[in-house]
Amino acid sequence: MDRSNDDLDYIRRLYEERVVSAVPFYMEAADLADLVEWYEKAGLDHEAEACLRYALRLHPDDFDLLLTKAYRLKNYGRWSEALELVRSLADQNLREVKMFYFENMLNEMRPDEAEAYLEREFFSDKGAQVDYDVYVEAAELYLDYNFPARALRALRNVPADFGDAKQKAELEADAYAGRSDFARAEAVVNASLDSDPYDEISWTQLADIQYKAHKFSAAFDSSNYALAINPDNDQALRVRACAAAEESGIAHYGRYADEYLAKFPDDYYVRLLLGERYYADARYDDAAKALQQAYRSCPQDAADKQRILSGLVYAYAHQGRAALAFECFSAGFGTPLTAFDTTFQIASILFDVGRVADAERLLDNYLDDYPVDGQEVMRLAALLCKYGCCGPDNTVWAVLLAPRTDVPVMAQPYLAYGAYRMALYRDALQRLREAVVSCPDETYRLFSDVFPGRGVTEFPVLLERMIRERGDA
């Protein structure tokens, strides 16, 4: 787009006035293509799509408009349609077409082929007439698809005095950061700042790199420098809020989070950090509310979706809302877990946060409704032993200790310990004799507090003696 802002603003007003009038009108393809690009950059996707459709009705064979359509299809994930359209274009030798094929190879995880294609199509037999902008564009695409080492390799082909030095520095810093080489990334940005200390973009990039390097205090300061230059720098506001969450107390963080979320209420990650800070401060009602909003805004396929769900379930557990924790945990998986696995996970969380009675009640309810197999008996027995839930009033053990033939031998240490704590000494002795042979290490770990200072092979003998002395034999 090589137009002045005034020129483009005039074209946009003219187009919108004519659209509102609902009277058919004509505009040049180049004007409409520029307008589509403007709408896209402004985040007005519906307007961009409507403008493109109108443009193609007027100019169905215009190369730039068709290519724009292909890139929009690609951005929606409709690669097959986009490729079919690009392959139908008359001129297959244009840079934009070739770079589309290059990006498709990266998207299909064929980076070796993509790099070879780039060299073959743009740089072999070109002599001194090398289009170094291609290397810069390739570096951007390599970074988009998380190939930072290849991005650096592309940038090393660009002479120091060619093109936009600041753009190359930004790409180079991002590439180093993508390789977790944060020291080099910072050095590149700092060199840019030495030449232009009032560049808000470089300060923002530095803050982002420092945040990724877990230098939260430095990231907070750098984002403040960017905001001192431009108070409306949205990315700097976001980095500052995230850095404050990692570095500061909830009152301090809440101020910066609220300032950012007032402008961007659907940023799930900032709400996630806010919820985790509330959770760390034992403000479980506030944590649940923040995490609910984070979960709502988080894309379904995002890696953080399960992190948010976990935090939300823990918050519900602390609130004593075991049934809600169970239901939300079950609903949060694309492939639902079995009833046993869900119950086991929620019971583990309830035990973990000290809600022992809630956990035991959940297990009791499950065992009232479902049979268990030998593997599940072992897992439940190990869970109860882990959290010391082996008192004589624990009704779950009555089910776990019932005679059965499918229990693995690895379950015997837990069942023996549970029987002992339930004062079922003869059952405990029978299981203990098997446990010391099949699983001596786990048996010793569980019973060392019962028989301190004695070897694991002595445990059955000592228990048998105790039974005789008590007259229970």
Side-chain angles (χ1 to χ4, degrees):
M1 185 188 301
D2 298 322
R3 298 179 183 274
S4 68
N5 290 335
D6 289 341
D7 188 23
L8 187 58
D9 188 57
Y10 169 77
I11 293 171
R12 181 175 60 84
R13 283 189 286 105
L14 187 64
Y15 166 80
E16 291 176 355
E17 288 170 1
R18 291 175 176 178
V19 167
V20 170
S21 70
V23 176
F25 62 92
Y26 178 86
M27 291 183 73
E28 294 292 338
D31 292 342
L32 290 166
D34 286 348
L35 194 52
V36 171
E37 183 181 350
W38 186 91
Y39 282 131
E40 287 178 335
K41 289 182 177 179
L44 301 171
D45 193 67
H46 176 76
E47 288 79 357
E49 185 65 23
C51 183
L52 179 60
R53 287 179 180 176
Y54 190 82
L56 285 169
R57 283 202 297 271
L58 292 178
H59 309 281
D61 299 319
D62 183 81
F63 178 89
D64 290 333
L65 291 173
L66 289 171
L67 192 61
T68 298
K69 180 180 179 180
Y71 271 93
R72 285 184 61 79
L73 288 169
K74 180 265 296 184
N75 292 338
Y76 286 127
R78 295 161 62 180
W79 275 94
S80 295
E81 293 175 67
L83 280 166
E84 183 178 359
L85 179 54
V86 171
R87 288 170 182 148
S88 72
L89 296 176
D91 192 345
Q92 292 287 300
N93 290 315
L94 288 180
R95 169 177 161 175
E96 293 87 347
V97 172
K98 292 180 178 180
M99 293 306 291
F100 190 96
Y101 294 139
F102 171 75
E103 182 177 355
N104 180 62
M105 293 175 193
L106 296 181
N107 184 56
E108 292 181 351
M109 286 294 166
R110 297 186 285 142
D112 284 341
E113 293 178 52
E115 193 165 359
Y117 175 84
L118 192 78
E119 293 297 321
R120 182 177 67 252
E121 294 296 324
F122 289 99
F123 304 112
S124 60
D125 302 324
K126 299 299 181 185
Q129 295 184 351
V130 175
D131 187 353
Y132 293 109
D133 280 329
V134 171
Y135 281 123
V136 175
E137 185 178 349
E140 291 179 313
L141 289 169
Y142 280 135
L143 290 173
D144 287 344
Y145 290 89
N146 201 25
F147 294 109
R150 293 179 189 269
L152 285 170
R153 194 153 59 234
L155 291 171
R156 290 188 187 115
N157 289 304
V158 182
D161 59 350
F162 178 84
D164 186 342
K166 190 174 292 295
Q167 180 192 18
K168 286 184 290 185
E170 289 172 3
L171 292 172
E172 186 178 5
D174 282 342
Y176 280 126
R179 299 180 65 186
S180 298
D181 190 345
F182 299 115
R184 285 191 182 180
E186 280 193 67
V188 171
V189 181
N190 279 321
S192 291
L193 286 168
D194 287 342
S195 61
D196 184 4
Y198 298 102
D199 179 11
E200 61 166 300
I201 303 301
S202 293
W203 279 115
T204 304
Q205 185 181 26
L206 180 60
D208 186 60
I209 290 167
Q210 290 166 333
Y211 179 80
K212 291 174 181 174
H214 293 182
K215 298 168 68 172
F216 302 122
S217 180
F220 183 84
D221 291 341
S222 295
S223 58
N224 269 332
Y225 282 121
L227 290 165
I229 300 167
N230 177 11
D232 295 322
N233 185 319
D234 298 331
Q235 179 63 13
L237 284 170
R238 186 177 192 274
V239 175
R240 182 174 68 176
C242 294
E246 304 285 1
E247 187 71 11
S248 311
I250 190 65
H252 186 56
Y253 172 53
R255 167 191 166 190
Y256 297 109
D258 289 345
E259 184 179 350
Y260 176 75
L261 291 170
K263 295 183 69 175
F264 301 98
D266 292 324
D267 187 315
Y268 82 85
Y269 189 75
V270 173
R271 289 199 185 276
L272 165 60
L273 294 181
L274 183 62
E276 289 178 340
R277 288 310 303 245
Y278 281 134
Y279 185 91
D281 281 13
R283 293 172 56 178
Y284 303 118
D285 292 347
D286 291 326
K289 182 177 179 180
L291 291 168
Q292 286 163 354
Q293 293 170 332
Y295 194 84
R296 173 198 67 195
S297 301
C298 185
Q300 197 63 36
D301 58 351
D304 285 323
K305 196 77 171 179
Q306 294 307 313
R307 175 180 167 185
I308 300 170
L309 178 64
S310 177
L312 190 54
V313 168
Y314 266 90
Y316 288 153
H318 272 288
Q319 291 175 314
R321 303 163 77 183
L324 182 60
F326 181 96
E327 189 174 12
C328 292
F329 188 83
S330 300
F333 287 87
T335 303
L337 298 177
T338 65
F340 176 83
D341 284 333
T342 300
T343 302
F344 185 87
Q345 292 296 333
I346 298 302
S348 300
I349 291 170
L350 290 167
F351 279 132
D352 205 35
V353 303
R355 291 275 181 174
V356 175
D358 289 336
E360 292 179 342
R361 186 161 48 250
L362 178 67
L363 294 176
D364 271 330
N365 291 339
Y366 177 82
L367 294 173
D368 286 342
D369 295 333
Y370 296 93
V372 286
D373 61 28
Q375 287 288 340
E376 291 167 347
V377 166
M378 181 178 69
R379 291 176 65 187
L380 290 176
L383 180 67
L384 294 175
C385 289
K386 176 181 177 181
Y387 289 99
C389 299
C390 303
D393 57 344
N394 189 304
T395 56
V396 176
W397 280 107
V399 175
L400 302 184
L401 293 170
R404 55 191 308 137
T405 59
D406 62 342
V407 176
V409 293
M410 292 182 295
Q412 294 306 335
Y414 309 113
L415 295 173
Y417 188 73
Y420 177 83
R421 291 301 182 191
M422 296 283 288
L424 302 172
Y425 298 124
R426 281 177 289 181
D427 187 10
L429 177 60
Q430 180 182 347
R431 296 177 187 279
L432 185 59
R433 285 171 174 157
E434 184 176 352
V436 298
V437 176
S438 60
C439 306
D441 292 342
E442 190 64 11
T443 304
Y444 180 81
R445 186 186 69 80
L446 289 169
F447 280 89
S448 58
D449 64 330
V450 179
F451 305 113
R454 309 303 288 266
V456 67
T457 56
E458 299 177 83
F459 291 172
V461 176
L462 294 168
L463 180 56
E464 186 175 16
R465 182 185 302 165
M466 186 196 81
I467 293 172
R468 284 199 306 269
E469 290 173 352
R470 292 172 58 93
D472 294 336

